[in-house]
Amino acid sequence: MLTFIKTLKNPKQVFKNHYSLFSLAVILFWFKSYFAYQTEFKLGVEGWFQQFILLINPISSAILFFGLSFLFKGKGQSRMLIFINFALSFWLYANIVYYRFYNDFLTLPSLLSAQDNAGQLSGSVMALLKWYDITYFADFLILFYFVRKKKAPTIEKDNIVYLKRYLFTAICVFLINLGLAEMDRPQLLSRSFDRNYLVKYLGTYNFTIYDIIQNTKSMAQNALANSEDVVAVENYVKANYAEPDPNYFGKAKGRNLILISLESLQNFVIDYKVNDMEVSPFLNSLSKDSNTFYFDNFFHQTGQGKTSDAEFMNDTSLFPMSQGAVYVNKAQNVQQALPAILNQVGYNSNVFHGNYKTFWNRNEMYRSMGYNNFFDAEYYNMTEENTKNYGLKDVPFFDESVTIMKKLPQPFFAKMITLSNHFPFGMDEGDTDFPVPELTDDSVVNQYFQSVHYLDDALKQFFDNLKANGLYDNSIIVMYGDHYGISSNHDEAMAKVIGKEEGEEMTPFDEIQLQRTVFMIHAPGIKAGVNHNYAGEVDIRPTILHLLGIDTKNYLEMGSDMLSPEHNQIVPFRNGDFVSPQYTFVGEKFYDNLTGEKLPENPEGGEVMIESVKERLNMSDEIIEKNLLRFYTPAGFLPVDRQKYNYLKPTEEKLKFYKTK
Ligand code: GP9
Ligand code: MN
């Protein structure tokens, strides 16, 4: 590259040989890609560090691909270079056009279902092409011109040396790029939460390579499985089914189901006071309301997929994957999920979320699950004032959602995903009058209380709004904290919060106790109360379905009805740790729940518990990794045709319809 820059001083020498042409191709392509990132995609780049990563991310792929031209000798060298440039330009341009319509990037699955996508695109494709799009092929034209007019000598003898050099350079540049990206956004590849993020950090071309690897892996796992694999899972699930309690079964039949994901809401905040002020007064009152089932031993079971894992569990009653997120890596799997089950008994199922639809690949996953509507950021007023980090603040979110909800045919299923109480929890001036307490030396922990208070107040307003709009009495409102908010990085401050003595450290046992998240089912008019059963997120679905009068015995689920006398109270975490009413198993050791003390040896029955947890996680992994639900259809269930569902950019009329009060 440096040699090339030097040669620019003497233009006659610019095309000394193929190496100069290669360098020119890399530079032009680099700038073109960067220009496209800045002008065509909404990548949400913030701060100079992210700007820098965005700037450098096209380099590695440009060197890698153009470097392949050194594989050839003679005329083949420049022809290959031009061909590669055309192919990459075409790919970039295809992404641009696709993004203009779908607000999303091309992926292998979207190409494989191209017929379907093309159908929706074809009507508007002309409107998506702009006159200035020719600039996306400008470098191709320039290179073409030089190759035709100014034939540069080729590199004959050392071409393989050059090839190796550039492949090596490309890998190094990529590793630097990835390293910087990981610094800014840890676990970028293993969590891979949003295509937008991957493109922002790694660029469209590296993203494509990543996408191809992920999907090929998944397809290979699929191809190796067969219908016999499901038999063992079926037997396991049937043997572990918990009969519903007749006192509760069908108690909420026909009611609307409102299922609210409370971002990062841990259970320790319930009844917690700072400076004599209740942090969550509304939830506290709900927890004592005789119409609320409040589970005070409820644990989240999420893995790297965070919010999406929690969603996945309450939609399917299966565990998330040990690595990555089902929503991202297995979105094409066959599902027999909550929305489809409810649709088939006359419900209309919807998701409300004030963030963009590509986050956690939701727009693909919801198609497999059969959600009728996905009201994402496009439907909300995403003004500066209304938003913070990931999207819409909870007060406007609930408020605008009720306006939409009123228009839905009943009974409906509304899954609502809140956002404000997300790490690092800072609220804007004027959002709440609850002060940030100076309880600990850790500002994240202190701010958590304020942000929880904001969420609590938003919920209260939502309940009032439901009442005012006649949507309260005929609904059940299920609320769950999706995962922890305060990670173990904040143990020192948390030790103080949970009342440890000065200098006393948090133990693994304490950390597990803090994985309790809020879980309540508020059912107006239904006799409920506090319930101390141990349970987790996989247990949500059977509990709700039984309350709605739908028996889950034919579904392959890993959870059991929390209200059933036969409910399994061993709650596995994704890594094989678990809790039960008596013991906590963490880091290969048992702790006594009463004393919090580590047991010197495994208690009686301990091994059996460990094995049962392993087996349950394995069964779930089998279903997900091998896509086994395609070989099993529950009696009376109609398989979901994912092609029938799509969450396109809403038209003006649709927006007007849903947004008017
Ligand atoms: C983003 C929201 C937050 O849409 O679901 O995701 P998280 O980081 O909690 O998984
Ligand atoms: Mn979350």
Side-chain angles (χ1 to χ4, degrees):
M1 196 90 63
L2 276 177
T3 331
F4 175 75
I5 293 168
K6 276 186 211 145
T7 58
L8 283 178
K9 290 189 196 135
N10 183 354
K12 275 193 195 133
Q13 280 179 26
V14 165
F15 293 101
K16 241 171 66 190
N17 57 32
H18 182 71
Y19 165 68
S20 328
L21 195 70
F22 160 80
S23 304
L24 179 69
V26 169
I27 291 176
L28 290 178
F29 191 74
W30 171 15
F31 285 120
K32 175 177 82 176
S33 305
Y34 181 69
F35 173 76
Y37 294 169
Q38 288 289 16
T39 54
E40 298 285 353
F41 308 131
K42 285 182 276 177
L43 296 175
V45 185
E46 282 164 14
W48 69 267
F49 194 60
Q50 289 190 6
Q51 285 290 357
F52 178 71
I53 296 175
L54 188 75
L55 175 71
I56 60 161
N57 83 35
I59 306 176
S60 61
S61 7
I63 299 178
L64 172 77
F65 288 112
F66 294 130
L68 291 178
S69 63
F70 288 103
L71 258 177
F72 298 83
K73 288 186 173 180
K75 279 189 185 151
Q77 249 164 33
S78 51
R79 280 188 189 157
M80 195 56 199
L81 190 88
I82 288 204
F83 171 76
I84 293 170
N85 180 285
F86 185 77
L88 290 181
S89 305
F90 183 80
W91 185 242
L92 176 67
Y93 187 57
N95 263 299
I96 290 172
V97 175
Y98 191 79
Y99 195 93
R100 284 176 188 163
F101 192 70
Y102 289 104
N103 269 339
D104 198 354
F105 297 97
L106 280 165
T107 56
L108 200 59
S110 61
L111 281 179
L112 294 179
S113 57
Q115 238 182 346
D116 168 55
N117 288 336
Q120 289 147 8
L121 251 175
S122 59
S124 44
V125 81
M126 286 316 283
L128 299 173
L129 309 180
K130 312 267 186 247
W131 65 266
Y132 56 79
D133 288 351
I134 191 73
T135 46
Y136 294 119
F137 291 90
D139 55 339
F140 168 75
L141 297 173
I142 294 172
L143 291 175
F144 192 77
Y145 168 80
F146 280 124
V147 168
R148 293 302 294 268
K149 289 277 168 209
K150 315 201 164 186
K151 288 194 181 66
T154 55
I155 288 175
E156 291 301 318
K157 243 183 32 241
D158 296 332
N159 64 322
I160 296 299
V161 177
Y162 275 88
L163 177 72
K164 284 186 189 156
R165 184 190 299 168
Y166 290 117
L167 293 191
F168 180 72
T169 315
I171 293 172
C172 290
V173 176
F174 174 73
L175 289 179
I176 294 172
N177 179 175
L178 186 63
L180 295 176
E182 282 279 332
M183 269 164 71
D184 199 58
R185 175 63 64 166
Q187 299 182 312
L188 179 73
L189 285 186
S190 52
R191 286 189 66 204
S192 60
F193 26 80
D194 189 357
R195 279 187 283 285
N196 254 323
Y197 282 58
L198 285 171
V199 172
K200 172 163 85 174
Y201 288 107
L202 301 180
T204 28
Y205 318 102
N206 288 327
F207 164 68
T208 301
I209 297 173
Y210 172 82
D211 175 62
I212 291 172
I213 296 172
Q214 285 295 337
N215 281 291
T216 322
K217 221 166 77 187
S218 181
M219 282 190 242
Q221 281 174 336
N222 266 0
L224 290 174
N226 65 53
S227 56
E228 279 156 36
D229 293 334
V230 83
V231 178
V233 181
E234 200 184 330
N235 291 339
Y236 171 83
V237 171
K238 299 241 152 111
N240 287 288
Y241 167 72
E243 291 262 356
D245 181 337
N247 292 322
Y248 297 120
F249 187 79
K251 269 271 141 47
K253 198 176 168 86
R255 292 206 195 183
N256 301 320
L257 167 64
I258 302 176
L259 175 66
I260 311 175
S261 162
L262 301 169
E263 180 58 45
S264 305
L265 196 64
Q266 294 180 220
N267 195 60
F268 77 86
V269 300
I270 300 295
D271 289 334
Y272 197 86
K273 281 187 183 166
V274 280
N275 302 331
D276 268 348
M277 285 185 293
E278 288 182 83
V279 178
S280 53
F282 180 64
L283 282 163
N284 297 351
S285 70
L286 270 188
S287 74
K288 295 171 189 75
D289 188 312
S290 64
N291 295 146
T292 302
F293 297 95
Y294 167 45
F295 290 81
D296 58 359
N297 285 312
F298 178 87
F299 293 79
H300 84 86
Q301 297 166 299
T302 56
Q304 291 180 319
K306 306 293 289 292
T307 309
S308 74
D309 278 356
E311 285 187 48
F312 179 68
M313 280 183 272
N314 56 52
D315 275 333
T316 65
S317 187
L318 298 175
F319 288 101
M321 299 199 297
S322 58
Q323 255 218 322
V326 191
Y327 263 49
V328 177
N329 301 317
K330 294 289 179 182
Q332 316 296 316
N333 273 9
V334 169
Q335 305 290 355
Q336 288 134 16
L338 188 57
I341 298 172
L342 291 176
N343 286 352
Q344 293 179 22
V345 294
Y347 278 72
N348 174 278
S349 56
N350 310 270
V351 181
F352 296 78
H353 185 41
N355 189 359
Y356 293 90
K357 63 188 175 190
T358 54
F359 207 103
W360 286 128
N361 198 26
R362 287 182 170 105
N363 57 336
E364 284 304 320
M365 190 62 173
Y366 292 163
R367 298 177 67 191
S368 305
M369 291 184 165
Y371 276 102
N372 297 112
N373 298 300
F374 178 13
F375 300 106
D376 81 328
E378 304 272 4
Y379 289 83
Y380 294 92
N381 293 320
M382 302 291 286
T383 56
E384 176 83 34
E385 192 192 19
N386 277 357
T387 53
K388 68 165 199 150
N389 52 8
Y390 284 120
L392 197 63
K393 292 177 189 170
D394 296 342
V395 170
F397 167 67
F398 279 125
D399 183 51
E400 291 176 38
S401 298
V402 174
T403 308
I404 298 175
M405 218 175 256
K406 280 194 308 205
K407 310 253 164 67
L408 297 175
Q410 296 192 39
F412 58 70
F413 163 34
K415 167 156 88 175
M416 310 183 79
I417 308 161
T418 63
L419 267 177
S420 300
N421 190 40
H422 195 286
F423 180 87
F425 312 114
M427 298 301 308
D428 293 334
E429 191 86 33
D431 282 341
T432 167
D433 47 19
F434 193 85
V436 178
E438 283 178 24
L439 191 65
T440 71
D441 299 333
D442 187 328
S443 64
V444 166
V445 174
N446 294 348
Q447 272 164 351
Y448 184 69
F449 293 105
Q450 186 190 46
S451 133
V452 166
H453 185 87
Y454 173 85
L455 167 58
D456 182 76
D457 198 45
L459 259 182
K460 180 181 182 298
Q461 294 179 34
F462 174 60
F463 271 61
D464 290 343
N465 210 347
L466 287 178
K467 286 177 189 162
N469 284 285
L471 289 168
Y472 174 77
D473 291 318
N474 56 346
S475 300
I476 57 166
I477 305 154
V478 183
M479 290 152 281
Y480 68 95
D482 60 349
H483 47 75
Y484 65 81
I486 314 268
S487 74
S488 50
N489 295 336
H490 304 274
D491 269 4
E492 217 172 293
M494 284 309 288
K496 193 161 183 195
V497 171
I498 62 169
K500 291 227 157 213
E501 300 285 317
E502 186 80 26
E504 211 188 330
E505 282 192 6
M506 296 275 278
T507 65
F509 172 83
D510 297 324
E511 282 173 2
I512 291 276
Q513 306 315 308
L514 279 173
Q515 305 311 308
R516 281 182 175 80
T517 54
V518 168
F519 185 69
M520 296 182 195
I521 302 175
H522 183 68
I526 297 177
K527 177 107 200 57
V530 182
N531 187 313
H532 304 302
N533 274 354
Y534 275 61
E537 284 165 319
V538 287
D539 303 316
I540 296 179
R541 189 177 88 169
T543 313
I544 303 176
L545 282 174
H546 287 171
L547 274 172
L548 295 178
I550 300 164
D551 199 328
T552 64
K553 74 168 173 287
N554 291 322
Y555 290 92
L556 298 189
E557 19 186 62
M558 294 297 140
S560 63
D561 181 346
M562 305 176 206
L563 293 167
S564 158
E566 295 167 12
H567 168 64
N568 181 356
Q569 294 201 61
I570 301 178
V571 186
F573 298 106
R574 187 49 262 194
N575 61 1
D577 292 346
F578 58 86
V579 285
S580 73
Q582 223 183 332
Y583 301 114
T584 294
F585 180 74
V586 51
E588 304 296 313
K589 293 281 177 246
F590 277 92
Y591 291 74
D592 186 323
N593 285 353
L594 276 181
T595 61
E597 293 300 322
K598 196 193 286 179
L599 301 180
E601 55 191 50
N602 290 355
E604 207 190 308
E607 299 298 328
V608 179
M609 284 167 113
I610 297 174
E611 285 314 309
S612 81
V613 163
K614 270 196 196 138
E615 187 181 22
R616 196 137 57 111
L617 291 168
N618 278 346
M619 289 292 165
S620 183
D621 289 344
E622 281 278 298
I623 296 181
I624 295 163
E625 279 164 17
K626 298 183 178 168
N627 188 11
L628 290 186
L629 295 183
R630 73 196 141 132
F631 301 123
Y632 176 87
T633 306
F637 180 82
L638 229 70
V640 175
D641 176 2
R642 71 190 305 279
Q643 309 297 348
K644 284 196 186 141
Y645 301 90
N646 230 315
Y647 315 104
L648 299 174
K649 216 182 166 94
T651 57
E652 281 306 315
E653 297 89 78
K654 196 169 175 187
L655 276 182
K656 207 168 141 208
F657 173 73
Y658 282 117
K659 288 179 89 162
T660 27
K661 286 246 181 200

